[in-house]
Amino acid sequence: MVQYGGDEVAALVVDMGASSLRAGYAGDDTPKAIIPTSYGYITEPASGGDVTMGEAGEDGQPARPAAKMYIGQNGPSMWRANMEVANPIQNGMIHDFAPIPPLISHALRDVMRCNPTEHPVLVTEPAWNTPANRERMAEIMFEEFQVPAFYIANTGVLNAFAAGKGSALVVDIGQSMASVTPVVDGFVLRKGLQYSALPQLVHAHAKHLLTNPTQHRPAIQLLPHQLIASKMPVEPAQPPKFTLREDRMAKTTDSWRIWAESREVDEWIQSVAGVLDQGWNEQAVMQRPPRQYEFPTGFNTYFGPERFSVGELYFNHSMIADRNDNLPRPLPSLITACLGNCDPDLRQNLLGNLVVTGGGSLFGGLVDRLGNELGRHFQVKIHAPGNPIERRYGGWLGGSILASLGTFHQLWISKEEWQDHGKAIVGQRCK
Amino acid sequence: MSGASAADVRSILSLPPAGSPSTQSQQPLKKSASTGKPNGISRELFALIGPSMASLPESSKPRLKQKPNLSGTQKVRWERRSFKNPARKDSLELNHWVKATDDPNEEYFWAKYNAQSNIYTYSQDEYTRLLEDSEWSKEETDYLFDVVREYDLRWFIIHDRYNFPGGPERSMEDLKDRYFSVCRKLVRSRPWPGDETSRTNLLSSFQFDKERETTRKKYLASLASRTPAQIAEEEALFIEIKRLEQTERRFKRDRDELLRTLAGIESGLDGLPIDDEGPMGSGDTKQKKRRHGSEWESASAGPSNIISLGTPVPKKGQQSAKASVPSPEEDILHCIHRNSAPAPSNLPVTKNAHTPVYLRSFKIPVPKPAGLAPKITAALAELGINHTRLVMPTKDNCEKLESLLDAAAALVDLKRAVDRVDQEIRTARMRLESKSSSASVAGDAAETPMDVDQDETGTERDADGEKEEDSVRAQSVVSVRSGRARKASSRRSMSISSVDTAAPVATRATKRLKK
């Protein structure tokens, strides 16, 4: 106990990202519950179902008709007639708090089978979260889940902790946002924080590539397998032979369709796309072996240069636009901007502790490329966990470490303090 | 078979009915079977002899080795307890697992790590008396101290979070300067309980030089904002310097070796073995020698690729043609001075006899007899000449300096001789006086310095008495009197030298006296 400084009080850690919500016990090395943040719902204008969103009308939010929600592994991914899909996270922040309690409740009560009133809960937030947002989160935890104690911690800091560092430059590439966070002694330097919607650009570019025809292949139909009744094997780059489930087509909502298509694109990116580790080079691209990928329609082909042009967007935009300030900034410019806003004395320390994390950083060759790009200007030491679980759930892991430390337990906001001080205590305690 | 019920199967296998738990009923059965057989003997033996065997002594029962206690310790009971953290101000109780043996009233282990940093505070009075600053209001100073306390003197974070509404933009140096200056003033003004050194130590820990920090940061920033081209240039320059240093060293080494070879040949020492343990002391001597030889051959074939020396030394091939005609006009034209040929070689030709090339400034003449050197230097200094620093060590100047030094040495030598003679005259005169007075007053000898030694050992007195007779050897007497412990040999040599120089002067002086 004394050696590692831990004292476990069975705290729960809830880490909510754009793609998934992770929850588990502090002290574990992997989250117990991983559920998609996207949820499906069916609006029933007349009468509510068994799980109704009664709280939707509160807090001045536009009143919504009662809806039945489908959350979890069998939530959005199962086709249901007239089911819409929504995601409460926008640009890394929660913009719609209505589905948050059901999501957390599903993770804690239905998946983990625990009673939140018995455990202190640590929740994560992005570094650019607003005070109002974190106070709302505290309110949900105290008022709806009746937790005995609560804390909200920054993902940047937690990622640094997961890498075993108190001071680090955390490069976090998630599903919707890429951020560069300077962390010093467990505090975020807010003036140095940089973030951009880079992963969204990469996603959009990949979708654009796939849905437009090239000279080698026709445009690809991004139909999910839920809508395909049968298919025949075809030769690579030949038009697919499949039959649609016409019965479902009529009752498929647009939002579900978009969600399903973006999932197809994500899967294509995750299995095929990569980054050249030495910068863009036509010859080098041609030398790389093409990769075969089959879509749910049965269409399959080999992807050569395309798969690298997707990843290249993380480092420069010259491929899609010559000069466009509206595009999210690429990683090297984010890092330089961040370092420029930090004290020159810190630069050495931060660059010596560069932590690359987030599911988006699992792009093949991304860490090597980042090291090469930065190595031209600075002396960098990159820490990127080789274990994909640690890379994807770094924020959760850091929270698990933090909430199981003996010295941390004085920082919890207790229910008593919440009742005495109100919302102000969140900003005072969680610096 | 299909007709058989479960109960039939059970009865065939003589199992108990389904309702009763089988484990409970089987255990007593086993026990009763095993009670018949004593523990010590095997089943086969028991079957042979049956239950009617003679009772065996229980002590013969084989004992197994005791099982090792692998866990090492006894079983530890843990229990879940709620605890209060004294570092917290509220009554939150969390639960954790602890050993049941632990004291439940013990203070929470981790509370002691809640260390509070010691931040100075000041009163309104102190502020108005000491801490007024035109650039800082009291409110902003208070705010600064609050932030410093909140973030425990972590300046990077303090600077990041510092946001005084309505205040100007503050750099980290501004904040540090204000904070440390306030602390310094407070420490100086307040009564200090400890000793003075601890106070100065504390004061020096609050020392902050804003200007220096700012320039340092600026320099750091400029260093970081170098363009890649600048960095590359800097690196290239650095490598170039290293390369130059290396070539210079190599050049110097080669030059030394060449000089040895070439000058050695010129002075007729071409058979001289090269000093292999040269200044570099490198190991590959053989290779060096070989390389040297080849260099020499190429040099003799074409003189262009040999390094140019200060004085062009005639090469071996050219020497045979040119040696007969050194052409003095050309030498004068090029300010070349040729050293006179080395002494005719009845001496063996060795390395030591050979003098390599040197700079004249390295061999400025020094005062010759080492014993006289300080006096010569003093004499020259009287004239305002510093012989160690020759501004223009041309050959002529060196010669002039040498002659000057010789002259000065001769002068000093002469002065010495004069002093010596003067002394002799004085002693001779004294002796003369004592002789004349001894004639008149007997026993007056005690006054002469010689007779102070009268009560010393006889031999010495004898020697003294013996010398007293000879007036010419008075010098040696003086020397004996001044340094009595000297050995006889040195005394003799002294007297010899005095005979050469002093004798004629002394006689002349005595003659003058007699007149």
Side-chain angles (χ1 to χ4, degrees), chain A residues 1-2 5-10 120 148-149 184-185 187-191 343-347 377 406-407 409-412 414 416-417 429 431, chain B residues 80 83 85 87-88 90-92 94-97 108-110 113-114 150-151 154 156-157 159-162 169 172 216-217 220-221 224 228 231:
Chain A
M1 165 176 136
V2 181
D7 182 18
E8 295 185 10
V9 296
V184 175
D185 288 343
F187 290 96
V188 172
L189 295 186
R190 290 181 192 149
K191 284 174 183 158
D343 198 88
D345 281 349
L346 273 175
R347 198 165 295 186
H377 307 285
T407 44
H409 300 320
Q410 67 185 68
L411 288 174
W412 292 109
S414 67
E416 183 188 336
E417 282 172 317
R429 191 63 61 79
K431 293 167 189 169
Chain B
R80 194 166 171 79
F83 67 94
N85 191 339
R88 297 187 64 93
D90 63 343
S91 62
L92 175 71
L94 297 166
N95 298 296
H96 63 174
W97 287 94
Y108 184 52
F109 181 81
W110 303 101
Y113 293 102
N114 184 29
E150 194 174 347
Y151 294 108
R154 292 184 181 93
F156 294 119
I157 299 145
H159 177 240
D160 185 63
R161 304 290 159 90
Y162 190 88
E169 185 81 4
M172 196 196 286
R216 187 181 68 82
K217 286 260 172 79
L220 243 164
I231 293 172

Side-chain angles (χ1 to χ4, degrees), chain B residues 33-308:
Chain B
S34 62
T35 41
K37 179 181 83 73
N39 273 344
I41 56 171
S42 68
R43 184 164 52 88
E44 289 79 10
L45 182 62
F46 182 71
L48 281 176
I49 57 178
S52 61
M53 61 157 193
S55 64
L56 291 165
E58 277 294 304
S59 58
S60 67
K61 175 183 152 194
R63 289 175 60 119
L64 292 170
K65 210 162 87 179
Q66 253 196 337
K67 272 190 182 170
N69 187 2
L70 288 173
S71 63
T73 51
Q74 284 87 359
K75 273 178 195 159
V76 179
R77 268 181 51 92
W78 290 75
E79 58 183 28
R80 194 166 171 79
R81 275 191 209 149
S82 68
F83 67 94
K84 278 192 74 173
N85 191 339
R88 297 187 64 93
K89 292 188 190 84
D90 63 343
S91 62
L92 175 71
E93 290 203 358
L94 297 166
N95 298 296
H96 63 174
W97 287 94
V98 285
K99 283 179 186 164
T101 51
D102 283 1
D103 179 17
N105 299 320
E106 200 180 4
E107 189 169 89
Y108 184 52
F109 181 81
W110 303 101
K112 66 184 176 198
Y113 293 102
N114 184 29
Q116 299 290 333
S117 56
N118 190 16
I119 308 290
Y120 274 84
T121 49
Y122 45 85
S123 63
Q124 177 69 47
D125 174 52
E126 274 177 320
Y127 189 85
T128 46
R129 217 156 29 84
L130 302 161
L131 310 174
E132 290 284 1
D133 193 303
S134 58
E135 286 185 21
W136 288 79
S137 65
K138 170 118 191 336
E139 289 72 38
E140 195 173 357
T141 313
D142 290 347
Y143 176 76
L144 170 70
F145 271 68
D146 284 345
V147 178
V148 168
R149 191 174 304 114
E150 194 174 347
Y151 294 108
D152 289 333
L153 286 167
R154 292 184 181 93
W155 287 104
F156 294 119
I157 299 145
I158 291 166
H159 177 240
D160 185 63
R161 304 290 159 90
Y162 190 88
N163 181 25
F164 185 66
E169 185 81 4
R170 303 281 189 192
S171 72
M172 196 196 286
E173 282 71 40
D174 289 335
L175 301 176
K176 275 185 175 179
D177 186 45
R178 178 64 178 158
Y179 175 77
F180 285 127
S181 68
V182 167
C183 286
R184 279 201 304 273
K185 281 172 188 161
L186 288 175
V187 170
R188 281 209 197 93
S189 67
R190 283 175 185 178
W192 185 256
D195 58 338
E196 207 47 40
T197 50
S198 63
R199 184 181 197 160
T200 44
N201 282 347
L202 187 69
L203 275 175
S204 66
S205 74
F206 287 137
Q207 213 53 252
F208 183 73
D209 188 349
K210 188 176 164 189
E211 292 299 314
R212 198 166 141 256
E213 283 295 298
T214 324
T215 39
R216 187 181 68 82
K217 286 260 172 79
K218 268 187 196 148
Y219 178 70
L220 243 164
S222 74
L223 209 63
S225 61
R226 287 175 303 176
T227 62
Q230 280 171 318
I231 293 172
E233 192 185 337
E234 234 166 73
E235 247 161 45
L237 280 175
F238 185 72
I239 291 167
E240 185 72 6
I241 280 183
K242 282 270 165 233
R243 211 174 55 76
L244 279 176
E245 272 175 6
Q246 220 161 25
T247 43
E248 193 184 13
R249 229 175 301 146
R250 205 183 55 225
F251 182 80
K252 195 166 177 295
R253 197 184 57 207
D254 286 356
R255 186 167 163 275
D256 280 354
E257 279 177 8
L258 261 177
L259 281 180
R260 246 196 313 275
T261 331
L262 297 184
I265 284 156
E266 196 202 25
S267 55
L269 301 175
D270 57 351
L272 190 72
I274 294 156
D275 191 0
D276 285 335
E277 281 125 42
M280 305 313 283
S282 54
D284 53 344
T285 49
K286 266 188 188 166
Q287 200 188 344
K288 212 197 275 176
K289 235 188 261 179
R290 210 181 308 128
R291 190 184 45 146
H292 226 90
S294 63
E295 218 169 73
W296 176 249
E297 278 158 24
S298 64
S300 59
S304 60
N305 61 352
I306 199 156
I307 49 163
S308 64

Side-chain angles (χ1 to χ4, degrees), chain B residues 367-382:
Chain B
K368 258 303 154 49
L372 293 180
K375 285 199 171 163
I376 293 171
T377 319
L380 287 177
E382 253 176 67

Side-chain angles (χ1 to χ4, degrees), chain A residues 21 29 50 58 64 69 81 94 110 124 151 157 167 176 189 302 306 321 373 395 399 409 425 428:
Chain A
L21 185 152
D29 57 357
D50 43 355
E58 293 168 16
R64 254 192 253 192
M69 289 182 73
I94 301 171
D110 302 344
T124 67
Y151 193 81
V157 176
S167 302
S176 68
L189 295 186
Y302 288 94
E306 283 161 295
E373 291 264 331
H409 300 320
I425 187 87
Q428 284 167 25

Side-chain angles (χ1 to χ4, degrees), chain A residues 39-248:
Chain A
Y39 61 95
Y41 64 93
I42 299 172
T43 325
E44 289 168 17
S47 63
D50 43 355
V51 181
T52 53
M53 292 167 55
E55 69 283 343
E58 293 168 16
D59 296 324
Q61 287 188 3
R64 254 192 253 192
K68 188 169 165 55
M69 289 182 73
Y70 299 93
I71 294 169
Q73 295 300 337
N74 296 328
S77 54
M78 267 174 77
W79 184 90
R80 292 179 180 89
N82 298 323
M83 184 177 76
E84 304 268 1
V85 174
N87 193 320
I89 308 278
Q90 212 168 53
N91 288 346
M93 278 197 300
I94 301 171
H95 79 113
D96 178 13
F97 274 93
I100 298 300
L103 278 169
I104 295 177
S105 168
H106 178 83
L108 300 184
R109 293 202 178 103
D110 302 344
V111 181
M112 286 178 68
R113 296 266 163 217
C114 68
N115 183 0
T117 58
E118 293 168 0
H119 305 275
V121 177
L122 184 139
V123 183
T124 67
E125 59 168 1
W128 53 93
N129 204 11
T130 60
N133 249 356
R134 62 206 322 226
E135 282 162 13
R136 180 86 179 88
M137 181 53 99
E139 194 182 337
I140 288 173
M141 294 319 287
F142 279 120
E143 307 297 339
E144 289 182 34
F145 289 93
Q146 301 287 325
V147 294
F150 167 81
Y151 193 81
I152 189 158
N154 195 301
T155 45
V157 176
L158 295 183
N159 273 307
F161 286 168
K165 293 168 194 296
S167 302
L169 187 67
V170 180
V171 178
D172 186 351
I173 305 167
Q175 200 202 32
S176 68
M177 298 299 279
S179 67
V180 178
T181 319
V183 177
V184 175
D185 288 343
F187 290 96
V188 172
L189 295 186
R190 290 181 192 149
K191 284 174 183 158
L193 171 70
Q194 299 286 329
Y195 58 96
S196 75
L198 199 54
Q200 292 175 35
L201 176 75
V202 172
H203 184 96
H205 180 64
K207 190 169 181 177
H208 173 80
L209 275 181
L210 293 177
T211 50
N212 281 293
T214 66
Q215 55 204 22
H216 306 296
R217 58 164 172 81
I220 297 165
Q221 289 170 286
L222 295 170
L223 287 165
H225 65 88
Q226 287 96 328
L227 296 181
I228 287 163
S230 66
K231 59 185 173 187
M232 300 283 290
V234 290
E235 286 301 303
Q238 293 306 305
K241 295 177 191 151
F242 65 97
T243 49
L244 275 172
R245 293 182 71 153
E246 293 295 346
D247 56 327
R248 285 187 170 186

